[in-house]
Amino acid sequence: MGWLNRFHGVTLTFVLVLIAGGVLFVAAQDSTEATFQQALRADIETLANESYGSGTRPETWTGNTDPATPNFLADAFYDNEQLADRIFGLGVRPDEWFGASSPSPALIFRNVRHDLELSATEFFGGQTTRPTEWVGADASLRCDRALQDVLLILNRDYNIQPTSITQVIDYCTVVKAEVEDRIFGEVLDELSATAVTPELIGGLRGDLERLADERLGLETRPDGWIGNRVDGSPTFISDVFIDLDTLADNELGLDIRPVGWIGAISASPLVSYRSLRFDIETLADATLGEGVRPRGWQGTDPLTRCETTLQTLVTLLTVRFPNFTSVIDPNQPSNEVYCQQVFELTIQTAEAELQNDELLDTVDSSVIFESQNAFSYLDVAALDYMGVMPWETEFRPWFRNFQESNMMFVTGEGFALFVDRRWTTMPEEAFVLLPNLEGRKPRTFCDATWCNGPQPTPTPTGSGPIIALFEAATPVSTNEAAPTGPIPTNKMLVTWNNIRVTYLVDNAATRTVQVALEICAEAAQVTCEPVLTVYDGNNGLFRPVIQQYNGLNVFEMGYGYQTNVILEGATRYSRDIFISEPGLR
């Protein structure tokens, strides 16, 4: 096992991490989904006792400890977010925060556990520092999202579970090394054999020499430089590794490395190539400037500049979805922007396919479903509205839209259209098994008597899994103190469900987004009026109007569910709003 070579100083004892069927099981093989959920709730309450004080909770705390209730997941998510506000600050979250952005309830439970562990680490001061009553979960649930999805795919598609034990200082680094070696040494060994060409490996030495020439001058090298350029040499990769380390010491200082530096090689040539290529690109960015490269540079694939676990996840998904990342423009202003776009697309693709795979052989693709007053469109973007498909109108589904969209292409008597699955009798379990629309452009038409269009759509078809969470959640206490500020006395009070949000420009650094807002008379968001003002009760000020968009005021808002606000239109107002993160849209 080549992965052990990278951690020869770590004493290992065997504990099996079990991840099965899209539901995460805790510790032992006889644990159940309910056990995992109960442990999650118990630890939420333990951390609440520590942070708020024993027996002390905010008025909005749900305290739901019964996994049998339909709103258990929503309440766990809601209380975990309140804990995060308490520990990190109102609306402040670490970069590693997952949130609820997943189409699968099992994965949302996983995300809540991951985020709870982040809060506990911040509060108690360490990943393993916990009170004695802490139940906990798999060490893998503290790892980054890409690695967790890699583990799930390995279990689902290849029946492979990691054998790395959990009682190590940095379990996530250890298990990452193990699964990468197993993926490219066992699962995708043919890919490794064809991908690692002499030209590819030789490009590492060539670019390292070009970087050294640029920084030190032609033929000028630090002491100890090996400079092995012999194709097929058994020490070629290790010699490149040593010389790269030598150049980094010379340019950055002894053992000083940029954030994310890997500094390791493997028994797998492909894993070693990815690690070395990533570090060479990182050193070039640090010494020459991001994106600045010497003439003749051979590292032209932008994906090699992204974190290697993400590269591994992309490779696993490419087996099912060849070239699925080709929709992303590689000519982005920075590595961070490109890699973030790849990350969001890859996570959405992976997690949409991680549920209900056991039903692949049981769902009849010719089964007929019925409309429940579904809005219908000629296009998947829901721009060319063709009217409401009447209740009980039968249709056959053919394709679903890519990623987290609920749109699907259907045909019936006199029509071939796109509709939103949630306004039909089709269950989500059947929807996710439809082939996706990628690369297909079906002909659409509507000759049925109920067709009325095309015309602009009267309401958005958006939302996401977080909407269902809040709709299921225990209602917020009605005796919650009202925010100080100009509460209207002659206008109708509505909830956040009635706020139509048009997302314009996100700012990842501040976790904010510019939005155009409308306030509607009903949750279906049909009869709407512009939001005129937004009062922020946290600082006692009105949010400034940044610009106009299609006649609507544009405000900058932070991500998440916010209660201490007053949004006011001409005849209606709301005291709460939900602003979704990019991954939820």
Side-chain angles (χ1 to χ4, degrees):
M1 292 183 291
W3 60 276
L4 285 174
N5 296 334
R6 287 183 271 179
F7 300 96
H8 52 81
V10 179
T11 302
L12 304 178
T13 52
F14 179 82
V15 172
L16 178 65
V17 177
L18 178 65
I19 303 176
V23 178
L24 306 177
F25 290 77
V26 186
Q29 291 183 347
D30 59 349
S31 298
T32 65
E33 181 180 359
T35 301
F36 177 82
Q37 296 170 6
Q38 290 168 340
L40 171 65
R41 185 73 232 190
D43 287 344
I44 288 175
E45 296 297 333
T46 296
L47 185 55
N49 282 335
E50 297 286 342
S51 58
Y52 291 113
S54 182
T56 302
R57 301 290 188 273
E59 290 184 355
T60 53
W61 192 261
T62 72
N64 185 353
T65 59
D66 184 2
T69 58
N71 54 325
F72 180 77
L73 172 55
D75 290 346
F77 168 79
Y78 186 73
D79 288 346
N80 194 54
E81 292 291 327
Q82 294 187 80
L83 271 176
D85 283 340
R86 174 79 173 180
I87 292 170
F88 296 106
L90 189 63
V92 178
R93 298 294 184 271
D95 292 339
E96 302 87 354
W97 196 261
F98 284 7
S101 55
S102 177
S104 164
L107 293 179
I108 295 177
F109 271 118
R110 176 201 73 173
N111 293 354
V112 174
R113 166 55 76 173
H114 171 272
D115 293 345
L116 175 65
E117 295 292 341
L118 284 180
S119 296
T121 296
E122 175 72 13
F123 186 84
F124 296 116
Q127 282 196 355
T128 58
T129 305
R130 301 290 188 269
T132 55
E133 61 270 30
W134 191 264
V135 182
D138 283 356
S140 66
L141 299 188
R142 297 196 300 265
C143 299
D144 67 77
R145 194 162 182 172
L147 181 54
Q148 291 197 40
D149 284 352
V150 166
L151 293 172
L152 288 174
I153 290 174
L154 282 179
N155 179 78
R156 179 198 68 187
D157 291 352
Y158 305 103
N159 194 29
I160 289 178
Q161 298 85 32
T163 58
S164 301
I165 61 97
T166 58
Q167 292 90 344
V168 293
I169 296 175
D170 191 353
Y171 171 79
C172 295
T173 300
V174 173
V175 78
K176 173 181 182 290
E178 177 196 350
V179 297
E180 283 182 341
D181 279 355
R182 295 186 68 178
I183 287 169
F184 299 111
E186 302 173 26
V187 176
L188 303 178
D189 54 333
E190 292 184 4
L191 172 66
S192 298
T194 58
V196 185
T197 63
E199 292 77 17
L200 197 68
I201 296 295
L204 293 173
R205 169 58 68 182
D207 285 347
L208 181 59
E209 296 291 342
R210 291 180 183 91
L211 181 59
D213 285 343
E214 193 76 16
R215 296 298 301 170
L216 306 176
L218 294 176
E219 305 304 327
T220 301
R221 297 295 184 265
D223 293 340
W225 190 265
I226 300 173
N228 181 0
R229 305 189 187 193
V230 179
D231 289 341
S233 166
T235 61
F236 187 88
I237 289 178
S238 60
D239 289 344
V240 171
F241 170 72
I242 293 171
D243 285 350
L244 174 60
D245 204 48
T246 300
L247 183 61
D249 281 342
N250 187 82
E251 294 300 297
L252 305 177
L254 187 63
D255 295 330
I256 297 174
R257 298 294 185 267
V259 174
W261 186 269
I262 299 172
I265 54 176
S266 162
S268 164
L270 184 52
V271 174
S272 295
Y273 167 78
R274 286 182 169 178
S275 299
L276 289 171
R277 171 54 66 186
F278 180 85
D279 284 349
I280 288 174
E281 299 292 342
T282 301
L283 183 59
D285 283 341
T287 55
L288 302 179
E290 183 172 342
V292 179
R293 297 294 186 269
R295 179 174 298 179
W297 193 263
Q298 297 181 57
T300 56
D301 182 359
L303 185 61
T304 62
R305 304 180 189 185
C306 301
E307 198 273 327
T308 54
T309 306
L310 176 58
Q311 294 184 45
T312 299
L313 183 56
V314 169
T315 301
L316 285 175
L317 290 175
T318 301
V319 174
R320 283 194 173 195
F321 312 107
N323 302 316
F324 77 98
T325 60
S326 62
V327 297
I328 298 177
D329 181 5
N331 300 312
Q332 299 293 346
S334 69
N335 295 341
E336 181 181 2
V337 172
Y338 173 79
C339 293
Q340 182 62 31
Q341 291 182 3
V342 172
F343 174 82
E344 291 174 1
L345 174 63
T346 304
I347 292 300
Q348 291 169 11
T349 303
E351 296 184 2
E353 297 298 322
L354 284 173
Q355 53 178 326
N356 303 314
D357 288 280
E358 68 279 5
L359 298 177
L360 277 171
D361 297 325
T362 64
V363 175
D364 182 357
S365 62
S366 65
V367 71
I368 301 299
F369 299 98
E370 294 179 349
S371 168
Q372 294 180 333
N373 284 355
F375 283 26
S376 62
Y377 305 88
L378 291 177
D379 65 313
V380 72
L383 299 177
D384 295 327
Y385 173 67
M386 292 301 294
V388 175
M389 186 180 295
W391 197 277
E392 297 182 348
T393 299
E394 293 185 341
F395 65 84
R396 174 180 174 176
W398 292 93
F399 306 112
R400 61 180 173 86
N401 196 17
F402 202 48
Q403 308 314 321
E404 292 184 351
S405 169
N406 286 285
M407 297 294 284
M408 60 181 176
F409 176 70
V410 303
T411 60
E413 187 174 352
F415 62 85
L417 296 164
F418 290 94
V419 298
D420 188 314
R421 178 203 62 81
R422 293 168 296 179
W423 300 98
T424 73
T425 60
M426 186 178 190
E428 186 175 4
E429 291 83 356
F431 173 81
V432 298
L433 299 177
L434 292 174
N436 69 65
L437 199 62
E438 184 180 19
R440 301 180 175 95
K441 294 183 179 180
R443 186 177 70 89
T444 56
F445 65 91
C446 194
D447 296 330
T449 56
W450 49 265
C451 297
N452 182 22
Q455 58 181 301
T457 180
T459 182
T461 59
S463 85
I466 190 66
I467 303 300
L469 286 183
F470 277 111
E471 288 176 347
T474 300
V476 176
S477 173
T478 55
N479 63 1
E480 180 185 3
T484 57
I487 301 176
T489 58
N490 59 346
K491 297 181 180 180
M492 178 173 52
L493 175 63
V494 298
T495 71
W496 65 275
N497 290 286
N498 297 46
I499 304 298
R500 177 188 289 176
V501 183
T502 301
Y503 296 89
L504 301 177
V505 182
D506 287 277
N507 186 331
T510 60
R511 293 180 56 79
T512 59
V513 58
Q514 293 182 19
V515 292
L517 301 174
E518 298 167 85
I519 188 166
C520 307
E522 61 288 298
Q525 301 178 359
V526 176
T527 308
C528 304
E529 62 190 29
V531 170
L532 303 176
T533 60
V534 176
Y535 181 80
D536 187 343
N538 293 320
N539 56 32
L541 298 172
F542 284 95
R543 295 276 178 99
V545 176
I546 298 174
Q547 58 177 311
Q548 292 283 311
Y549 175 80
N550 289 343
L552 302 175
N553 290 336
V554 175
F555 303 89
E556 186 172 69
M557 305 290 290
Y559 298 145
Y561 178 61
Q562 303 165 44
T563 57
N564 201 15
V565 292
I566 301 173
L567 297 93
E568 189 172 352
T571 64
R572 293 178 282 274
Y573 77 101
S574 174
R575 288 172 48 186
D576 58 354
I577 187 172
F578 178 74
I579 301 296
S580 70
E581 300 184 26
L584 289 173
R585 300 176 206 154

